[in-house]
């Protein structure tokens, strides 16, 4: 809602509530917004949010005073929690600079005094975000708050877990633009760096998992304080020990949170991490190759490698990796490609894992470069497609589809690689498992120079296998994909692929019967589109089969499917445009078929009745077939 849309009555009511000593209305407002029991009452919650917006725009000072008062003094845990949420809703980056210096000073004193007394960890966690934002806006607007820094250092060095977690969360939640400024201010204080380092060592080794994970984020936020090599080395070692401790703990969520912070560290501080990357790659492999860990953990571990591939400073790491290590890295995303359902109906989890695997392959291949990625991919491909497990064979062809996106030209230049791929792809098109055949036919529709090159070089072999699939395939989905693959193949190779009469007869003999297919409209449309292309680009074939094809086109004009009717009309235009002597009788007795097709287009939206005038024409064509 825009500011101007708040009615005067609502503004007046907001002023009355915020000025009152009675906190009941504001507590009711909190309940309507934040209470779980009201989450599904959208109207009630919407009105409460509108009222809060009105307070924010018209009486921000009063609202701020009220919320800080409730946070500091209210005895109810729920009210203090909601006050912290509402203060966060106000956005400290917006309201803090607008306060007068004297108001800022008073709020700083009262806020720190309150935090020292707050006993609820839940409320402390909420207010940690608030303090981090106020601290950030203070230092980014060229002000200082040394008392807050001293307060946080004393908390992180405390023996109380609540205090340690709160201070770590404040450092962790510092916005990126203020981290360097806050770190610099801390570094100027005597012994602060030494105290923080010792405190972080203790927290990273804490038996309290919440304290431990919060410390990971705090270290990443303030890592510039520990940039001296000996100091950073010891701290990084403590981080890695903590990661593996959490990895083997009972709570997987703690490991995910800690490892996510490690990924942030790798992406944000490449100069500090660069000397340790080879060892870190081996640590990642240790996690990703473990059969005792979940697929999600494997994906998360490999995400660190993906992040490394995106940072220029880590390029040398992949270039200098031993061949065995590179192969192990390739096998990690390949493993992710194996999580597919037997029937191809993958759930959200399987799709996400496969997507992560494909992204990992793409990033890793780009980092290795064509000279290393392509030969390595060839090795991995052959190892997978010869495996007895259909999931591995499918993973092999999926990897190939990823590789051709970036290295198609380089793959074409490897003659031995082309021979091996074509041999295996032809075998996989006739694989015993439907999912393998489906993926292989899908690969053959990839718009890449590599796929087009192998289709041109081996077009006779592909014609044979495609036709066999259309003739013998029992799985309808695979048959449709095979039809799409052959259509793509013919678009790329015509007219060369049909220069042999046997090839032309074979192709037409397989696609013409599909026009009578009652089971799949998709397959019928593929057949129509493909036959139209053949007729348009191969005039000799068109003359030979026109007499058979025309009646089928006219019949397809009566189909319920609009796309099929449209494609049939296009086919009639193509046949009419050939201008052969066989079509002249039709042109004399009836309007030209070209005009008939145009009429069809104008009648398409009128339904099946629009096809009635064509019945006579179709009958006439059938009568004239002997003349052809």
């Amino acid at each position: 809602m825009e500011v101007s849309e708040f009615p005067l009555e609502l503004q007046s009511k907001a002023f009355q509530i915020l000025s009152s000593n009675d906190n009941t209305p504001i507590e009711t407002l909190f309940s309507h917004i934040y209470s779980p029991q009201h989450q599904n009452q959208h109207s009630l919650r919407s009105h409460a949010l509108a009222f809060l917006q009105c307070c924010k725009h018209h009486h921000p000072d009063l609202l701020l005073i009220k919320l800080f008062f409730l946070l500091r003094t209210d005895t109810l845990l729920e009210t203090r929690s909601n006050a912290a949420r509402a203060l966060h809703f106000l956005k400290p980056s917006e309201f803090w600079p607008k306060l007068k210096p004297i108001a800022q000073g008073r709020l700083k004193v009262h806020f720190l005094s309150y935090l020292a007394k707050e006993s609820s960890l839940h409320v402390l966690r909420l207010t940690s975000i608030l303090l981090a934002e106020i601290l950030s806006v203070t230092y980014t607007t060229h002000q200082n708050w040394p008392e807050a820094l001293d307060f946080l250092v004393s908390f992180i060095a405390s023996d109380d877990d609540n205090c340690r977690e709160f201070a770590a969360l404040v450092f962790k939640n510092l916005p990126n633009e203020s981290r360097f400024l806050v770190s610099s201010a801390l570094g100027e204080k005597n012994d602060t760096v030494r105290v923080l380092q010792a405190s972080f060592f203790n927290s990273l080794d804490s038996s309290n998992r919440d304290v431990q994970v919060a410390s990971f984020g705090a270290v990443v936020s303030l890592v510039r304080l520990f940039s001296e090599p000996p100091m950073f080395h010891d701290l990084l070692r403590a981080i890695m020990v903590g990661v593996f401790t959490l990895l083997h703990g009972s709570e997987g969520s703690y490991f995910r949170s800690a490892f996510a912070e490690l990924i942030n560290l790798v992406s944000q501080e490449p100069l500090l991490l660069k000397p340790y990357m080879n060892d870190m790659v081996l640590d990642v492999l240790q996690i990703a190759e473990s059969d005792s860990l979940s697929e999600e953990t494997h994906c998360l571990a490999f995400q660190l490698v993906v992040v490394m591939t995106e940072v220029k400073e880590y390029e040398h790491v992949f270039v200098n990796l031993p061949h065995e290590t590179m192969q192990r890295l390739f096998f990690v995303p390949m493993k992710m490609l194996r999580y597919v359902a037997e029937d191809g109906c993958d759930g959200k989890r399987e799709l996400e894992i496969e997507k992560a695997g494909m992204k990992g392959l793409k990033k890793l291949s780009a980092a290795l470069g064509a000279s290393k990625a392509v030969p390595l991919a060839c090795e991995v491909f052959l190892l997978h497609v010869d495996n007895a497990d259909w999931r591995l064979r499918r993973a092999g062809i999926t990897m190939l589809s990823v590789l051709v996106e970036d290295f198609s030209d380089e793959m074409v230049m490897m003659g031995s690689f082309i021979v091996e791929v074509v041999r295996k792809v032809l075998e996989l098109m006739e694989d015993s498992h439907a999912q393998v055949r489906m993926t292989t036919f899908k690969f053959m529709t990839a718009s890449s120079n590599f796929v087009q090159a192998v289709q041109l070089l081996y077009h006779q072999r592909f014609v044979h296998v495609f036709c066999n699939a259309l003739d013998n395939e029992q799985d309808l989905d695979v048959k449709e994909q095979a039809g799409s693959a052959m259509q793509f193949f013919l678009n790329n190779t015509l007219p060369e692929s049909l220069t042999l009469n046997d090839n032309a007869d074979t192709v037409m003999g397989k696609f013409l019967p599909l026009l009578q297919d009652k089971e799949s409209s998709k397959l019928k449309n593929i057949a129509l589109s493909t036959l139209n292309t053949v007729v348009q680009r191969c005039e000799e074939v068109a003359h030979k089969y026109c007499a058979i094809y025309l009646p089928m086109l006219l019949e397809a004009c009566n189909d319920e499917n609009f796309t099929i009717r449209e494609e049939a009309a296009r086919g009639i235009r193509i046949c009419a445009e050939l201008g052969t002597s066989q079509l002249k009788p039709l042109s004399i007795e009836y309007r030209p078929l070209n005009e008939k097709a145009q009429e069809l287009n104008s009648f398409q939206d009128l339904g099946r009745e629009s096809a009635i005038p064509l019945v006579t024409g179709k009958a006439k064509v059938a009568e004239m077939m002997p003349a052809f």
Side-chain angles (χ1 to χ4, degrees):
M1 181 178 288
E2 298 293 334
V3 179
S4 59
E5 294 179 3
F6 293 117
L8 291 175
E9 184 180 352
L10 187 63
Q11 297 178 36
S12 176
K13 186 177 180 181
F15 179 83
Q16 181 182 352
I17 290 175
L18 294 176
S19 303
S20 171
N21 291 327
D22 183 7
N23 296 327
T24 304
I26 202 77
E27 289 174 353
T28 303
L29 179 75
F30 286 159
S31 174
H32 290 169
I33 297 174
Y34 301 117
S35 177
Q37 68 188 51
H38 292 129
Q39 290 300 305
N40 294 326
Q41 299 179 15
H42 301 296
S43 176
L44 196 64
R45 189 167 184 271
S46 177
H47 282 96
L49 283 171
F51 184 82
L52 189 60
Q53 287 279 15
C54 178
C55 294
K56 177 181 176 179
H57 287 296
H58 292 284
H59 310 291
D61 294 343
L62 286 176
L63 178 60
L64 189 63
I65 293 170
K66 174 68 77 173
L67 293 176
F68 264 110
F69 176 78
L70 291 174
L71 180 65
R72 290 171 42 237
T73 63
D74 204 279
T75 57
L76 292 176
L77 171 63
E78 184 179 7
T79 300
R80 298 201 304 279
S81 299
N82 289 335
R85 292 188 181 99
L87 281 166
H88 182 64
F89 167 80
L90 281 178
K91 297 182 179 178
S93 60
E94 294 180 3
F95 73 72
W96 192 261
K98 297 176 182 177
L99 297 176
K100 295 178 180 179
I102 190 171
Q104 290 180 351
R106 287 177 179 174
L107 281 176
K108 287 177 179 178
V109 172
H110 288 308
F111 196 19
L112 294 181
S113 175
Y114 150 71
L115 289 172
K117 299 175 183 178
E118 178 58 66
S119 58
S120 168
L121 178 59
H122 175 66
V123 178
L124 283 173
R125 286 171 176 169
L126 291 171
T127 52
S128 68
I129 302 173
L130 186 62
L131 180 56
E133 292 178 343
I134 295 176
L135 199 61
S136 174
V137 72
T138 298
Y139 279 90
T140 53
T141 54
H142 311 292
Q143 301 178 63
N144 296 306
W145 194 2
E147 297 83 4
L149 299 184
D150 292 338
F151 177 84
L152 291 170
V153 171
S154 67
F155 260 44
I156 200 74
S158 170
D159 292 330
D160 183 278
D161 281 347
N162 286 5
C163 294
R164 294 161 71 193
E165 183 183 345
F166 169 78
L169 286 173
V170 173
F171 290 134
K172 173 187 175 181
N173 290 315
L174 283 173
N176 289 333
E177 63 270 15
S178 64
R179 289 182 175 184
F180 176 76
L181 296 171
V182 173
S183 297
S184 299
L186 286 167
E188 294 172 359
K189 293 177 172 290
N190 294 330
D191 292 332
T192 297
V193 175
R194 181 185 56 80
V195 172
L196 284 172
Q197 183 188 20
S199 301
F200 285 143
F201 275 130
N202 291 332
S203 297
L204 289 170
D205 191 40
S206 174
S207 58
N208 185 316
R209 298 306 182 216
D210 292 311
V211 171
Q212 191 178 20
V213 171
S215 299
F216 275 95
V219 170
V220 172
S221 182
L222 303 180
V223 70
R224 295 293 181 88
L225 282 172
F226 316 106
S227 57
E228 291 295 325
M231 190 183 298
F232 181 74
H233 176 82
D234 292 340
L235 201 57
L236 182 61
R237 184 177 181 277
I239 289 173
M240 296 309 297
V241 170
V243 164
F244 277 91
T245 300
L246 291 170
L247 175 65
H248 299 293
S250 57
E251 293 287 343
S253 60
Y254 287 118
F255 167 75
R256 288 192 289 273
S257 299
F259 202 84
E261 294 298 341
L262 179 61
I263 290 174
N264 288 336
L265 181 62
V266 168
S267 64
Q268 294 171 17
E269 301 295 337
L271 296 180
L272 287 175
L273 271 296
K274 192 175 179 180
Y276 303 95
M277 281 299 99
N278 285 335
D279 291 334
M280 199 164 284
V281 167
L282 296 177
D283 289 336
V284 167
L285 284 172
Q286 185 179 341
I287 297 172
E289 292 174 344
S290 175
D291 292 332
S292 62
L293 300 174
S294 68
E295 296 83 10
E296 287 80 6
T297 302
H298 295 159
C299 291
L300 180 61
F302 196 74
Q303 181 62 28
L304 190 143
V305 175
V306 172
V307 168
M308 287 172 61
T309 65
E310 297 170 344
V311 180
K312 184 176 178 59
E313 286 81 356
Y314 298 138
E315 285 180 353
H316 76 287
V317 176
F318 297 99
V319 173
N320 298 321
L321 282 176
H323 180 79
E324 180 186 355
T325 304
M326 289 192 296
Q327 191 179 65
R328 288 173 65 192
L329 280 174
F330 244 85
F331 273 109
V332 175
M334 291 298 294
K335 190 176 181 181
M336 299 178 199
L337 301 181
R338 289 156 44 186
Y339 294 100
V340 290
E342 180 79 25
D343 58 359
C345 299
D346 297 331
K348 182 179 179 181
R349 175 176 173 270
E350 287 81 4
L351 291 172
E352 287 179 351
I353 293 174
E354 183 178 38
K355 184 178 179 181
M358 294 176 74
K359 179 182 177 182
L361 275 173
K362 190 176 181 69
K363 293 285 188 180
L364 183 59
S365 299
L368 292 174
S371 61
K372 290 192 174 184
V374 174
L376 184 59
C378 183
E379 293 177 30
V380 175
F381 171 73
L382 294 175
L383 286 172
H384 278 72
V385 296
D386 287 333
N387 199 283
D389 187 343
W390 70 268
R391 288 180 174 84
L392 269 69
R393 299 197 299 275
R394 181 188 178 278
I397 198 69
T398 302
M399 181 209 68
L400 205 60
S401 68
V402 173
L403 202 67
V404 297
E405 292 180 7
D406 296 318
F407 301 115
S408 190
D409 293 339
E410 291 82 356
M411 291 165 66
V412 170
M413 299 303 294
M414 292 182 63
S416 59
F417 183 62
I418 287 185
V419 173
E420 285 294 330
V421 168
V422 170
R423 182 171 64 85
K424 291 300 180 182
V425 165
L426 290 170
E427 290 176 6
L428 294 174
M429 286 181 180
E430 298 178 336
D431 194 88
S432 59
H433 200 280
Q435 286 302 305
V436 178
R437 300 194 300 275
M438 171 74 82
T439 305
T440 309
F441 284 123
K442 188 175 182 179
F443 166 71
M444 292 306 298
T445 63
S447 298
S448 69
N449 291 339
F450 180 79
V451 171
Q452 293 181 22
V454 299
Q455 288 179 344
L456 286 170
L457 290 171
Y458 300 93
H459 63 264
Q460 285 184 263
R461 297 175 68 181
F462 279 110
V463 166
H464 175 72
V465 176
F466 285 140
C467 288
N468 278 350
L470 292 176
D471 200 30
N472 301 318
E473 181 60 60
Q474 300 300 310
D475 188 296
L476 182 59
D477 291 334
V478 178
K479 191 172 184 177
E480 289 174 349
Q481 189 62 57
S484 295
M486 189 166 187
Q487 181 184 24
F488 183 81
F489 163 76
L490 291 172
N491 285 337
N492 288 331
T493 61
L494 288 175
E496 289 82 359
S497 57
L498 297 187
T499 52
L500 299 176
N501 286 332
D502 289 346
N503 283 354
D505 292 341
T506 302
V507 170
M508 299 299 288
K510 298 303 177 185
F511 273 105
L512 285 169
L514 294 179
L515 298 182
Q516 308 298 324
D517 192 284
K518 305 296 184 183
E519 191 175 8
S520 170
S521 294
K522 180 179 179 180
L523 199 58
K524 190 172 181 179
N525 187 59
I526 290 171
L528 267 174
S529 178
T530 305
L531 289 168
N532 284 343
T533 302
V534 172
V535 168
Q536 191 172 33
R537 294 171 64 179
C538 304
E539 190 169 338
E540 185 179 343
V541 175
H543 286 304
K544 184 175 181 180
Y545 286 93
C546 188
I548 302 173
Y549 190 38
L550 268 174
M552 293 182 173
L553 286 173
L554 290 165
E555 183 177 349
C557 289
N558 291 323
D559 198 276
E560 295 178 353
N561 187 296
F562 170 77
T563 307
I564 290 176
R565 298 199 306 272
E566 191 174 44
E567 195 63 42
R570 187 172 80 90
I572 292 174
R573 287 198 301 273
I574 292 170
C575 290
E577 287 167 1
L578 289 174
T580 59
S581 58
Q582 291 94 330
L583 292 173
K584 287 182 179 178
L586 287 176
S587 301
I588 295 171
E589 186 168 349
Y590 300 95
R591 287 171 294 169
L593 286 179
N594 193 16
E595 295 180 15
K596 180 70 76 174
Q598 293 174 2
E599 179 186 304
L600 276 172
N601 284 338
S602 66
F603 282 127
Q604 290 292 352
D605 297 329
L606 299 180
R608 293 179 59 85
E609 293 180 1
S610 63
I612 293 175
L614 299 177
V615 174
T616 305
K618 186 177 78 172
K620 188 66 180 177
V621 170
E623 291 173 7
M624 296 178 66
M625 282 304 153
F628 287 101

